[in-house]
């Protein structure tokens, strides 16, 4: 999707349509909008330029007359020529051909829309899985940075597994999660998402089947599919993933790995029960099925600590464990970790060195300082209090406006309420209508493509007044009213 980051100067003597023509010609001539690029719709252009649609039509007609674009009924306008192709018979490179031939699959259009609109302050982010800026301890982060004076003994490339003081700090911290892991069995990564990428290209064969909860956050990303993997969903109930279906799917697909978000699951908010954890781990041991446990929400319990991670019960090195500071402290640090058998960690560290030569040394020192003092535990206590209040506020609003429209479980931790609408709706239409009203939501079909009943609502990003406003807008749209 082409990006428009400019608006015409309405006080200029140059007609607005002419300014738009000049802007688009500049994008085409400079190569930023290559041949065969599809232009946004007339309505989208008018909104982006903040002009009447008739002005856009005039501009497009001139571009068409000059040979820069072609318009096809039902398909919109595409770039057909650029300055060079109008002046010479030598054709320019077909950059879109290169883009479409890339091995990494694109995000779905809805995810691309969400990623594009999230930075725009005009929209209330009702589905964002990211801490609100007001929940990130900026002042204390500045104190931590100041306290590092004289402590950062090394600012070059880290050793392959990451800064040793940080791995030692992570090792000590993991004991509070019931996990015994030496620094040698820990790899520092730039968040859990990089860990998934390293695993997909470092230790799995192309064509492998990966089992995971359905729905799952992972279905919203083409990461594993781009590496030639197949994602196979396993249904959930109120206690987590079904161990019986897990066993059947493993045998039917000769699955190579189980990926599970065991605590405060994304998007459903379900936390695997104690009994279910034992059943799942026993099934995986019987089937010799390795487990990739994503525990990035595990410390964000709101009503009391939940069960220990699967990794805490792992006696045979079956479980690879992912943790991160992105959901608890700051996504901008880009610090996470993988815990597993040393040969696996050595292999993943080698792959990581080939891709980025290690995580930021400065971020690693900052993370070390947080984890080696009592700052992090104090911050978690304060964060849980804030998130508990936000969760309760969202559930209060849902009770007020959605009691006859939907049902939901009250999450005991994490970021999300998984709202189930009583009636199926066109989720793409609802997404578009909500966007037009200034509310950005995450429809359920990005986590399960057959889903037309669910919305993933996040109580961690939007501030209370904005959250309330967006939920009211959403309820009115679902009732077919103009909010």
């Amino acid at each position: 999707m082409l990006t428009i980051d400019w608006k015409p100067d309405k006080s200029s003597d140059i007609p607005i349509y002419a300014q738009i023509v000049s802007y688009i010609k500049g994008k085409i001539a400079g190569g930023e909008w290559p041949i065969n690029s599809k232009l946004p719709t007339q309505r989208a252009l008018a909104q982006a330029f903040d002009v009447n649609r008739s002005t856009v039509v005039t501009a497009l007609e001139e571009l068409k007359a000059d040979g820069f674009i072609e318009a096809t009924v039902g398909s919109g306008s595409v770039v057909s020529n650029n300055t060079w192709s109008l002046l010479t018979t030598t054709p320019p490179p077909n950059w879109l051909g290169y883009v479409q031939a890339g091995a990494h699959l694109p995000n779905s259009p809805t995810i691309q829309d969400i990623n594009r609109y999230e930075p725009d302050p005009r929209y209330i982010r009702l589905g964002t899985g990211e801490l609100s800026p007001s929940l990130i301890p900026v002042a204390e982060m500045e104190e931590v940075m100041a306290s590092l004076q004289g402590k950062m003994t090394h600012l070059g490339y880290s050793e392959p597994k990451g800064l040793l003081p940080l791995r030692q700090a992570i090792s000590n911290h993991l004991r509070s999660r019931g996990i015994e892991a030496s620094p040698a069995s820990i790899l520092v990564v730039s968040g859990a998402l990089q860990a998934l990428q390293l695993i997909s290209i470092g230790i799995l064969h192309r064509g492998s089947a990966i089992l995971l909860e359905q729905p799952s956050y992972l279905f919203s990303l083409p990461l594993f599919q781009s590496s030639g993997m197949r994602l196979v969903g396993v249904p959930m109930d109120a206690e987590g993933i079904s161990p019986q279906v897990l066993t059947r799917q493993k045998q039917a697909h000769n699955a190579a790995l189980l990926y599970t978000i065991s605590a405060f699951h994304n998007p459903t908010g379900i936390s695997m029960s104690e009994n279910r954890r034992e059943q799942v781990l026993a099934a995986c041991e019987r089937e010799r099925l390795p487990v990739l446990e994503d525990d990035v929400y595990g410390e964000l319990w709101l009503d009391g600590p939940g069960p220990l991670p699967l990794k805490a019960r792992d006696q045979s090195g079956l479980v690879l464990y992912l943790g991160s500071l992105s959901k608890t402290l700051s996504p901008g640090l880009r610090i996470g970790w993988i815990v597993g058998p040393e040969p696996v960690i050595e292999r993943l560290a080698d792959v990581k060195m080939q891709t980025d030569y290690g995580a930021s040394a400065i971020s690693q020192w900052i993370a070390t300082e947080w984890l080696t003092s009592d700052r992090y535990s104090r911050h978690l206590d304060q964060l849980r209090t804030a998130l508990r209040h936000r969760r309760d506020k969202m559930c209060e609003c849902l009770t007020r406006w959605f009691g006859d429209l939907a049902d939901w479980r009250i999450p005991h931790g994490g970021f999300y309420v998984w709202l189930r609408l009583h009636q199926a709706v066109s989720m793409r239409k609802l997404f578009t209508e909500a966007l037009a009203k200034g509310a950005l939501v995450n429809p359920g079909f990005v986590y399960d493509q057959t889903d037309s009943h669910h919305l993933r609502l996040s109580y961690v990003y939007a501030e209370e007044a904005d959250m309330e406003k967006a939920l009211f807008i959403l309820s009115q749209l679902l009732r077919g009213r103009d909010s």
Side-chain angles (χ1 to χ4, degrees):
M1 179 81 63
L2 302 180
T3 300
I4 295 173
D5 52 6
W6 168 90
K7 284 182 171 55
D9 180 0
K10 295 182 180 179
S11 65
S12 171
D13 292 333
I14 301 173
I16 291 175
Y17 85 89
Q19 294 181 52
I20 294 173
V21 168
S22 177
Y23 170 78
I24 294 178
K25 280 184 177 179
K27 287 288 190 182
I28 296 172
E32 292 187 52
W33 292 7
I35 291 175
N36 294 326
S37 296
K38 186 173 181 179
L39 270 65
T41 64
Q42 293 177 3
R43 179 175 297 175
L45 287 170
Q47 183 179 9
F49 293 136
D50 192 22
V51 298
N52 293 327
R53 191 168 172 180
S54 59
T55 304
V56 169
V57 171
T58 302
L60 293 179
E61 286 297 325
E62 180 160 324
L63 288 164
K64 182 179 176 182
D66 288 346
F68 281 89
I69 65 172
E70 291 178 353
T72 304
V73 176
S75 300
S77 300
V78 298
V79 177
S80 57
N81 283 299
N82 60 21
T83 303
W84 296 109
S85 62
L86 291 173
L87 297 176
T88 177
T89 57
T90 303
N94 180 10
W95 285 115
L96 286 188
Y98 282 90
V99 169
Q100 292 161 2
H104 203 290
L105 300 172
N107 272 320
S108 72
T110 301
I111 292 295
Q112 290 188 38
D113 284 344
I114 291 170
N115 291 340
R116 181 166 58 254
Y117 290 117
E118 276 190 334
D120 192 327
R122 293 177 298 173
Y123 298 100
I124 300 171
R125 295 161 62 170
L126 200 55
T128 296
E130 178 185 337
L131 289 175
S132 165
S134 66
L135 296 176
I136 296 174
V138 175
E140 196 161 7
M141 189 71 75
E142 291 173 344
E143 291 176 10
V144 166
M145 292 178 184
S147 72
L148 286 171
Q149 185 174 358
K151 295 182 181 179
M152 294 189 290
T153 58
H154 177 73
L155 283 178
Y157 294 122
S158 301
E159 61 179 282
K161 293 180 184 178
L163 194 70
L164 179 57
L166 175 56
R167 289 187 287 119
Q168 291 170 330
I170 293 169
S171 175
N172 291 331
H173 175 70
L174 287 174
R175 291 193 181 97
S176 68
R177 305 286 294 143
I179 297 171
E180 289 292 334
S182 70
S185 66
I186 297 171
L187 171 64
V188 177
V189 291
S190 300
L193 193 56
Q194 187 188 42
L196 294 176
Q197 182 185 33
L198 294 175
I199 289 164
S200 69
I201 63 177
I203 62 175
L204 296 176
H205 297 290
R206 288 189 69 84
S208 296
I210 297 172
L211 305 183
L212 70 167
E213 292 103 346
Q214 190 168 11
S216 175
Y217 157 75
L218 213 56
F219 282 114
S220 72
L221 302 174
L223 187 150
F224 275 125
Q225 298 96 316
S226 295
S227 301
M229 311 300 165
R230 295 176 291 122
L231 299 184
V232 179
V234 180
M236 307 174 71
D237 60 24
E239 292 189 68
I241 194 167
S242 166
Q244 293 80 17
V245 182
L246 171 65
T247 299
R248 291 200 298 271
Q249 292 286 57
K250 194 282 178 186
Q251 295 170 353
H253 297 275
N254 191 27
L257 186 74
L258 166 65
Y259 169 81
T260 179
I261 305 173
S262 56
F264 315 122
H265 176 262
N266 180 2
T268 67
I270 292 171
S271 198
M272 201 182 293
S273 69
E274 189 87 48
N275 185 53
R276 184 61 55 84
R277 288 169 191 253
E278 293 176 1
Q279 294 173 341
V280 167
L281 200 55
C284 291
E285 287 173 346
R286 281 195 312 271
E287 298 295 330
R288 298 174 63 84
L289 178 66
V291 179
L292 178 56
E293 182 181 21
D294 189 339
D295 195 39
V296 298
Y297 301 100
E299 295 184 297
L300 294 176
W301 49 266
L302 303 181
D303 302 316
L308 293 175
L310 294 171
K311 184 63 179 173
R313 310 156 196 266
D314 180 22
Q315 300 298 315
S316 55
L318 191 71
V319 180
L320 290 177
Y321 178 85
L322 306 186
S324 173
L325 296 179
S326 294
K327 303 298 184 183
T328 56
L329 185 59
S330 168
L333 273 182
R334 310 309 304 137
I335 293 293
W337 48 85
I338 312 174
V339 179
E342 285 190 40
V344 176
I345 296 301
E346 294 279 355
R347 166 63 175 159
L348 297 178
D350 177 58
V351 175
K352 179 171 170 57
M353 290 299 283
Q354 294 178 51
T355 57
D356 70 358
Y357 232 70
S360 160
I362 294 174
S363 288
Q364 291 186 72
W365 282 114
I366 293 171
T368 302
E369 188 71 11
W370 274 96
L371 293 175
T372 51
S373 66
D374 64 349
R375 293 177 186 272
Y376 186 59
S377 60
R378 285 192 286 105
H379 164 70
L380 281 177
D381 287 340
Q382 294 166 2
L383 180 60
R384 291 185 191 111
T385 299
L387 292 185
R388 192 179 301 117
H389 175 78
R390 286 165 172 259
R391 177 204 59 183
D392 293 347
K393 181 63 180 180
M394 173 169 278
C395 290
E396 175 192 318
C397 291
L398 291 176
T399 300
R400 190 187 319 158
W401 294 317
F402 289 81
D404 61 336
L405 295 173
D407 52 70
W408 60 93
R409 293 187 184 94
I410 298 175
H412 297 297
F415 282 8
Y416 310 111
V417 171
W418 188 232
L419 188 74
R420 182 187 180 278
L421 304 177
H422 294 157
Q423 301 293 326
V425 300
S426 168
M427 282 291 173
R428 182 65 197 185
K429 180 182 178 185
L430 180 62
F431 174 85
T432 303
E433 290 177 343
L435 196 64
K437 298 288 186 180
L440 185 59
V441 298
N442 285 40
F445 67 73
V446 301
Y447 311 107
D448 179 350
Q449 63 181 4
T450 65
D451 193 326
S452 57
H453 281 87
H454 287 91
L455 293 167
R456 189 190 81 173
L457 303 178
S458 166
Y459 44 82
V460 300
Y461 192 85
E463 296 304 322
E464 190 172 303
D466 284 340
M467 178 200 299
E468 191 167 359
K469 177 182 177 182
L471 286 171
F472 178 74
I473 288 170
L474 198 57
S475 70
Q476 295 300 95
L477 290 173
L478 288 167
R479 295 179 192 282
R481 300 173 184 168
D482 188 348
S483 58

